[in-house]
Amino acid sequence: MNLEHQPVLLDETLQLLSVQPGNIFVDCTLGRGGHTRAVLERMGGDVKMIGIDQDSAAVEHAKATLPANVTVVQDNFRNLKSIVLSLGLRNVDRVLMDLGVSSPQLDEAERGFSYQHNAPLDMRMDRRRPMTARQLVNELSEYELARIIKDYGEERWAKRIARFIVEQRTVAPVETTGELVRIIKQAIPQGAREEGPHPAKRTFQALRIAVNGELDVIEPALEAAVELLNPGGRLAVITFHSLEDRIVKHCFKQMEKGCVCPPRLPACVCGKQPKIRLVNSKPVVAGASELVDNPRSRSAKLRVAEKIAPGF
């Protein structure tokens, strides 16, 4: 089993985060520690590192391979503020969120994330969570299945796929990723299957997001990160699909705004001040060489914001 993977947009992330000696750095999605390890190497270890991941396999790997001065916490980064406070800290200087599923999770066939391996339908990043993809597929109504596949997968054939799934489970439960792929291929017309990505890609994405509540955690985590940052501190977020990026873009836009009073008022009464400035106005994407070396970077977008002091 391959537990190593290439962190996407590594050079760009480190450049825009601009980590300084003595900084407190939080990697909210530690994974296999690629970004964290690179920061430590470039800073000669002169930085306090905190790594968070909800996946027990990632946590065990990090504890076994990263230096002892990296504090590794198994938790969901939705709890970022309480994690930082529990470590006796009040503020941090740099925060990184690399969203979505990691390459090792896709590579571990038994986790059920990939439509390229036949495995039990699971898809839990944190295997302590009670809900699996199997339960969603076999227990949700046709309407709810279609809604999830459409909203989280942006799949045009969501209704047909949901209907085919429900029809199949009246015969026998859908147990494996292979069975689900077969049903999806049957549901999508042949002409549509011949275009674009793998026909199961969007449905698998949708189920994974639903199982792990991935979109629900982004906004509160971004707000917590900005609250914890010292003035001048930076937050970097890497997204892998439009749903994630849309949330990040909207949140940054809201935190970048100052006064929201109606223009007709002679003076501000809302008292709202900007919390951040955007370090890069447009998202950074992978260059040609990285696209060749790491195909996973194809859909990656990097946005970075810097916290500003009140009154600036």
Side-chain angles (χ1 to χ4, degrees), residues 218-227 229 235 237 247-258 272-278 305-308:
I218 298 175
E219 184 171 351
L222 293 175
E223 292 173 351
V226 171
E227 181 182 348
L229 283 173
L235 164 63
V237 187
I247 295 171
V248 175
K249 182 179 179 179
H250 173 75
C251 288
F252 277 5
K253 184 177 180 180
Q254 294 303 309
M255 289 189 280
E256 189 186 20
K257 280 184 180 178
K272 185 177 185 298
Q273 296 184 354
K275 296 179 180 179
I276 63 169
R277 73 169 185 88
L278 299 183
E306 180 177 287
K307 183 171 181 177
I308 58 178

Side-chain angles (χ1 to χ4, degrees), residues 86-208:
S86 72
L87 296 173
L89 301 169
R90 295 179 62 87
N91 298 99
V92 299
D93 302 293
R94 300 291 187 271
V95 177
L96 170 64
M97 298 178 186
D98 182 358
L99 305 180
V101 66
S102 69
S103 296
Q105 287 170 332
L106 291 172
D107 293 338
E108 296 173 48
E110 69 273 13
R111 301 293 296 273
F113 286 105
S114 176
Y115 44 79
Q116 296 177 330
H117 305 291
N118 190 29
L121 273 170
D122 193 322
M123 301 194 188
R124 292 173 297 172
M125 294 179 179
D126 183 345
R127 283 181 272 198
R128 299 171 298 183
R129 295 176 71 98
M131 184 66 69
T132 66
R134 181 195 179 281
Q135 289 169 276
L136 292 184
V137 165
N138 289 289
E139 296 175 9
L140 289 183
S141 68
E142 182 178 332
Y143 171 83
E144 278 299 306
L145 269 176
R147 183 191 64 81
I148 284 173
I149 296 169
K150 181 177 186 298
D151 290 352
Y152 295 162
E154 300 180 297
E155 171 60 73
R156 63 178 294 201
W157 302 105
K159 289 184 178 180
R160 274 180 62 90
I161 292 169
R163 186 169 78 249
F164 274 59
I165 289 172
V166 171
E167 289 174 356
Q168 173 59 41
R169 75 191 195 195
T170 61
V171 179
V174 183
E175 301 281 358
T176 68
T177 55
E179 292 173 36
L180 182 57
V181 168
R182 176 179 55 80
I183 295 167
I184 294 168
K185 286 182 175 179
Q186 290 174 344
I188 299 177
Q190 182 176 354
R193 294 200 308 269
E194 294 173 353
E195 302 173 356
H198 191 286
K201 179 178 181 178
R202 295 185 179 91
T203 299
F204 271 61
Q205 172 185 295
L207 291 171
R208 190 200 80 222

